[in-house]
Amino acid sequence: MGISVRYEGAVAVVSIHRPEALNALNRELIDQLDACISEIESRKEVKCVILHGSKNFAAGADIAQMADCDPEGAKAFAFSPVYNRMVQLPVPTIAAMEGYALGGGLELALACDLRICGESAKLGFPEIGLGIMPGAGGTIRAPRLIGGAKAMEMIFTGSSLSAADAERIGLVNRVVSDGDVLTAAMEMAMKIAKKSRAALEVAKHSILAGMEMTSVTEAVAMEAENWSGMFATYDQKEGMHAFLEKRKPSFADR
Ligand code: CO8
């Protein structure tokens, strides 16, 4: 049982492994995820992160661990600080989802930048049937991603979406055959990992910061500042001169 990280070149692959409970996320797993995030943050060679659960992504937070919590205990059980750290990782992140991605499991996928799932995946927020609501970003990130009405339908009915419906409403980027999820995520990650980490970092930062801003004018000004700042990087010079010299760029991630 556990969450661990391995590295394939510049790609970090975080695996969730608690098959006996369909990868339900308990306190121990969340602490392990926190430790994985710290390790990834310290590795400057990492350019993309994949989060994967074999057979199932995660069937939610561990109901047995929280069933008898009082409000203070529930607060202490909260996963949001760790999920927020996932969001704040400086490089792109991909949730590779097979099987169930429910409740706190789907919220973890929403804390990633991109989502790929298998054709039999089931995605949903069943919390309403437990007498609660999503509590690790679901009521906040889902409406921003798929719109308020779709998010409300998912949260109020508790019904799961099929992979095809999830793709149609933009909840997932791509649906692939069952069994090909990790391979597809790795292909996407490898493509990303060929790019400049310096450029990826600024692009991710601009997108996340822009989504937090209410003024489009201020957001575009922030983007312009970030954009011009990139002309101080080695990789901007390398990328543009490689184009002009009709060769592939060799990025140095600075
Ligand atoms: N928590 C604890 N154990 C679980 C969970 C879970 N979320 N999901 C599955 N399991 C366990 C089952 O208890 C069972 O254990 P055992 O074999 O010991 O009885 C084992 O996994 C296999 O499960 P099932 O026998 O139920 O398998 P089925 O194929 O019949 O059903 C389902 C699969 C439909 C996924 C079903 O297991 C299910 O409905 N699971 C619960 C899904 C759910 O409600 N998830 C939301 C949980 S609440 C939540 O995530 C709140 C997040 C809030 C933010 C977190 C901040 C604290």
Side-chain angles (χ1 to χ4, degrees), residues 25-27 30 60-62 75 77-84 104 135-136:
L25 298 162
N26 60 21
R27 194 64 257 173
I30 293 300
D62 190 315
K75 211 177 267 180
F77 191 73
F79 295 171
S80 291
V82 179
Y83 286 17
N84 289 343

Side-chain angles (χ1 to χ4, degrees), residues 125-126 128-129 151-160:
F125 292 117
I128 205 81
M152 286 191 197
E153 186 178 337
M154 287 182 77
I155 291 167
F156 296 161
T157 66
S159 301
S160 295

Side-chain angles (χ1 to χ4, degrees), residues 80 83-84 87 107 110-112 136-146:
S80 291
Y83 286 17
N84 289 343
V87 172
E107 290 176 301
L110 289 175
C112 295
T139 67
I140 310 303
R141 294 194 177 105
R144 282 167 166 75
L145 184 65
I146 60 175

